[in-house]
Each structure stands twice: as C-alpha cells, then as structure tokens.
Amino acid sequence: MSRKKQHTDLEVVQEGFANGVAPGFPLNDKEKQKMIDKATKAYARFLEALKCDWQNDPNSADTPHRVAKAYVNDLWAGRYTQMSPITSFPSDGYDGIVIERNIPLTSMCSHHHQTIGGVVHIGYISSEEGQVIGLSKLNRIVELFGRRGAIQEQLTSAIHNAVDKITEGNKGVIVTIVGTHNCVSCRGVKHQGAAMVTTKASGKFRDNDNLARKEFFDSLKINNGGHNI
Ligand SMILES: [Zn+2]
C-alpha cells in the first residue's frame, strides 16, 4: 500500500468569486478558448466606452484578445486550471521545522485589478507520525491561489489553510507575504515602494516567544534578496 496521500479539496472561497475557482473548474482547452473569445468581445466594448479607437490603432488592434488571454492563461489561471496533484509523504520521524522562503508571488488585487508582486515565506513543523509535502508543491500552492483576484489577507489564509491540511499532524504552520500593490503605486495615493506584510500563524508559531517562530523570522533575514522582514 502506498503511504503517499493526494489532496484535492483545498478551496475555502465560494465558487465564482474572483478569489475562488470558476464554475465548472477545471476548464478544458475548448472551454478556455470559448471564454477567451467571449472576454475579447467584452473588452473591446470596454475600450470603446473609454473612447479608444482600438480597431484603427495598430498598437491596440489585438489588445482585447491579448487581455482576455492574459486573464485566462496567466493572471487568473488559478481559477481555471488544475495544478498537478499535491502529494504528501510520511515524515518518517522528522519532527523539525521546514521553511521555504522567497517564493515568487504574482497576483492581482480584486478591488482594482492591478497586479500584486512580492514573495511568500512558508514554514511548518512536521510531526514524527505526520505528513510532509514536496517542496515544489509549496510553490504550486502559491501559484494556485495567487493567480486569481486576491485580497492579501485572504490569500495568506488560503495558503496557510492548504499547507495546514496537507501536512497532516503538523505542530504549526506560518505563512508571511510581502506584497507590493500596484493599486497603491499607480493610482489613488500613488506611493511607490510601500510593501504590505501579512502573517498567518497557527500551532506553535502563534506564540510570540516560541523558538520556532523566532527561527522562521531569523531565517528570512539570511540572504533575503533585499526583502526586509
Ligand atoms: Zn487594490
């Protein structure tokens, strides 16, 4: 008998919401193409409402199609495309801390549809009888939930919840996101360089004096690629 486990149900947000999966998830290629065609027409109307003569402007002629494709295939891919199955493995007695830091994040703010860029740091404490997760799967979880409309606080919780569910028997999970929101840099207050930091912690990581929490935040300071946390 295999001791690996597969995890499928990690969704916490209502289907159809910008930060949830689309109805009919996962969509096949034909369904995605139909969606791109429909969204292309709708985006053309949007540009017309903004008095943009997109059809005669050589730089804008394909823009409705480009934008529709970017949403379906990249920006909101997590709403339409199933990622490879997430598998966990027995920890085989390892009861230490596991940290993956500086996972690149590309997301989009649900409120303004401007991109969010940044990094995600994930840590968990495995238990002797529990399950551990393949490292690249942490990156895949970030992609699954990041590639949608998002609110950084909820995105932090969604990633935390997924890691918590998969690493069965864990003694704690911590997720920190350092995000730069283009809706802050480009519109409204127009401040460049401000970063939003959110942390969701459970188990042993909740206690401010806990050594695991200290180890997590200390590890982010080592060679941190300029991300100051
Ligand atoms: Zn925003």
Side-chain angles (χ1 to χ4, degrees):
M1 197 184 84
S2 168
R3 293 161 72 215
K4 285 192 287 187
K5 285 190 184 177
Q6 288 217 353
H7 302 267
T8 46
D9 182 26
L10 304 173
E11 295 297 330
V12 282
V13 170
Q14 188 172 322
E15 183 183 281
F17 283 14
N19 54 351
V21 294
F25 175 90
L27 273 57
N28 62 34
D29 288 348
K30 213 172 140 193
E31 289 166 328
K32 282 185 206 167
Q33 193 49 54
K34 222 170 137 188
M35 179 177 270
I36 290 170
D37 293 344
K38 206 171 160 187
T40 299
K41 290 192 184 85
Y43 201 77
R45 301 290 87 76
F46 179 78
L47 290 179
E48 283 155 19
L50 296 173
K51 295 197 184 297
C52 174
D53 183 10
W54 63 273
Q55 278 165 302
N56 292 309
D57 172 357
N59 294 314
S60 303
D62 286 328
T63 296
H65 184 240
R66 284 191 199 105
V67 173
K69 236 171 62 180
Y71 267 82
V72 175
N73 294 338
D74 298 302
L75 299 168
W76 280 15
R79 308 185 69 244
Y80 312 120
T81 305
Q82 181 83 274
M83 62 177 172
S84 54
I86 300 225
T87 314
S88 61
F89 305 88
S91 67
D92 284 336
Y94 182 75
D95 60 354
I97 188 168
V98 179
I99 298 169
E100 191 182 9
R101 60 200 171 114
N102 295 335
I103 301 169
L105 170 73
T106 305
S107 191
M108 178 192 273
C109 141
S110 279
H111 292 154
H112 303 100
H113 282 207
Q114 297 287 312
T115 53
I116 302 169
V119 287
V120 184
H121 311 293
I122 301 175
Y124 67 94
I125 303 166
S126 149
S127 65
E128 276 180 46
E129 303 295 322
Q131 296 271 309
V132 293
I133 182 175
L135 202 55
S136 69
K137 300 302 181 191
L138 294 176
N139 302 62
R140 296 221 177 267
I141 290 170
V142 170
E143 283 290 296
L144 175 73
F145 292 106
R147 296 285 179 172
R148 303 179 182 189
I151 299 302
Q152 188 172 321
E153 296 89 332
Q154 195 279 324
L155 177 59
T156 314
S157 292
I159 295 169
H160 176 280
N161 174 68
V163 176
D164 187 35
K165 264 193 174 166
I166 294 164
T167 57
E168 277 172 31
N170 72 70
K171 302 272 173 60
V173 174
I174 189 162
V175 176
T176 292
I177 299 182
V178 186
T180 304
H181 294 233
N182 271 335
C183 62
V184 175
S185 3
C186 303
R187 51 153 297 288
V189 70
K190 299 186 187 70
H191 278 183
Q192 299 281 343
M196 180 175 182
V197 182
T198 45
T199 294
K200 167 94 178 162
S202 61
K204 288 188 173 180
F205 288 111
R206 273 198 87 85
D207 177 3
N208 275 332
D209 298 326
N210 187 271
L211 285 176
R213 187 181 173 98
K214 189 177 174 320
E215 188 178 338
F216 177 76
F217 285 113
D218 281 352
S219 85
L220 304 189
K221 291 178 194 153
I222 306 164
N223 246 345
N224 69 356
H227 299 285
N228 294 319
I229 175 158

